[in-house]
Each structure stands twice: as C-alpha cells, then as structure tokens.
Amino acid sequence: GAHAMDHHALTVPNRSNLPLLSALLGIWNRNFLHLPTVAIIPYSQALLRFPAHLQQLDMESNGKHIDKKAQLADFQTGPVIWGEPGTNGQHSFYQLIHQGTDIVPLEFIGFKKSQHPFDLKIQHTTSQEKLLSNLFAQSLALALGQKSDNPNKQFLGNRPSWILMAERLDPFTLGALLAFYEH
C-alpha cells in the first residue's frame, strides 16, 4: 500500500493528487484561516495510536522556525496535531468542537467494512454500519450545524472536516494511509 501511495503522489496530476490536496488544505487552514490545530479522528479502535504517530511525523518534521536558507519563516510551519478514535471523542471533546468558540478542522478516517470477519448485527444493522453512520453524522453536523429552541443544543456549523474512506483496514490500506500522511 505504501508503494502504491508513493506512486500516486509522484505521478498523479495535481488536481487529483490526494496527498497534495490534503497538504494544500492543511496550509490553507493554518496560514490563511489561522486555525492552529487539526484533529485526526479514526473510526477504528485499531488506529488508537495513529494520531500520536502523526504528531511525531508532522510536528517534528515541520517544527522549525527557519526555512531551507536558514531565514526566519514568515508563515506558520504547521498545526498542532491531536486526536482520538471517533467513539472516544464523542464523549470527551466533540461538544467543544461543535459548540465552542475555537474552530478545529477534523480529518475523519473510516472504513466501509470491519477488519473482523464477523460483525454483530443488532436491529438490522451491523456494528460497522452504526460506526460509519456516526462518522457521517458528525461530519454533516460540523458542516450544517443544528438549530434548536434550546440554546444549549444549538450549534452553528460551518466547521471544516473531511473524510478519508477506505474499503477495510488491512496491511495494504495501513501502508497507503501511512504513506499518504508522510507525503
């Protein structure tokens, strides 16, 4: 998977180059919208430590105050990266992201199929389907907001997020995901 993503990053035209488009969104959010953090939210417990890996990958590499010519950077070199699996975030920080005063871009990572061969079916849907429904609902709520007569249940929307969706978390997909963020 890593080799396939490396090939994609190096050969696909700019308009369709996924790692490039993701990087440009990151630059836009940090330097033009002045958003200092980004949350990586995988909807897979197997990626529990993935946000921490991305912290090291991105913040160590971009954690400089000078450019390649040893001149002071006149732009923000990167965001603070953090995150948790989506189900953990719902019970800890989602309210702040939906209703708080700071805007935090979110990068959701989801998978169409469970990585396990057997998935429980409860009330006509599988656990994986419920998980994906939740992921999509969070992204839509961030974009559209929610009106309510109760001000404590209202939120504005217009919060940036995007979804990176793959078929299944397997070794190929994990390699591609790692290479995607490395690029």
Side-chain angles (χ1 to χ4, degrees):
H3 175 73
M5 185 57 70
D6 288 345
H7 181 74
H8 173 93
L10 296 172
T11 62
V12 171
N14 293 350
R15 289 181 178 261
S16 303
N17 192 306
L18 296 177
L20 176 62
L21 294 173
S22 174
L24 291 173
L25 277 173
I27 291 167
W28 179 259
N29 285 337
R30 184 66 188 105
N31 282 283
F32 295 94
L33 298 181
H34 308 289
L35 303 174
T37 75
V38 62
I40 309 294
I41 311 296
Y43 271 76
S44 170
Q45 198 63 26
L47 293 177
L48 172 69
R49 299 296 297 154
F50 194 66
H53 170 74
L54 296 180
Q55 287 173 339
Q56 185 278 326
L57 175 76
D58 192 277
M59 293 195 310
E60 182 179 11
S61 296
N62 293 324
K64 311 282 190 287
H65 68 281
I66 58 172
D67 62 19
K68 290 180 180 181
K69 296 178 183 176
Q71 301 297 311
L72 288 177
D74 61 353
F75 54 89
Q76 300 299 320
T77 58
V80 172
I81 294 176
W82 58 283
E84 281 286 324
T87 52
N88 296 2
Q90 288 173 214
H91 301 290
S92 59
F93 54 78
Y94 273 26
Q95 184 166 336
L96 178 74
I97 289 174
H98 283 289
Q99 295 180 302
T101 55
D102 288 318
I103 296 175
V104 177
L106 277 80
E107 297 181 13
F108 292 107
I109 302 170
F111 304 96
K112 293 178 188 174
K113 297 179 182 173
S114 172
Q115 69 186 97
H116 303 291
F118 177 75
D119 193 0
L120 293 175
K121 196 168 211 176
I122 301 169
Q123 296 179 347
H124 310 294
T125 58
T126 66
S127 298
Q128 189 67 20
E129 289 168 333
K130 287 176 174 60
L131 196 61
L132 284 177
S133 294
N134 201 293
L135 181 157
F136 294 131
Q138 291 295 339
S139 183
L140 284 169
L142 287 163
L144 303 175
Q146 175 177 292
K147 293 183 181 185
S148 174
D149 293 334
N150 180 345
N152 292 311
K153 292 184 177 183
Q154 183 169 313
F155 46 98
L156 301 174
N158 198 27
R159 306 285 172 130
S161 74
W162 57 270
I163 299 171
L164 188 59
M165 182 67 62
E167 190 69 24
R168 171 177 297 191
L169 181 57
D170 57 23
F172 181 91
T173 303
L174 181 58
L177 196 56
L178 288 166
F180 171 83
Y181 278 101
E182 286 173 2
H183 284 286

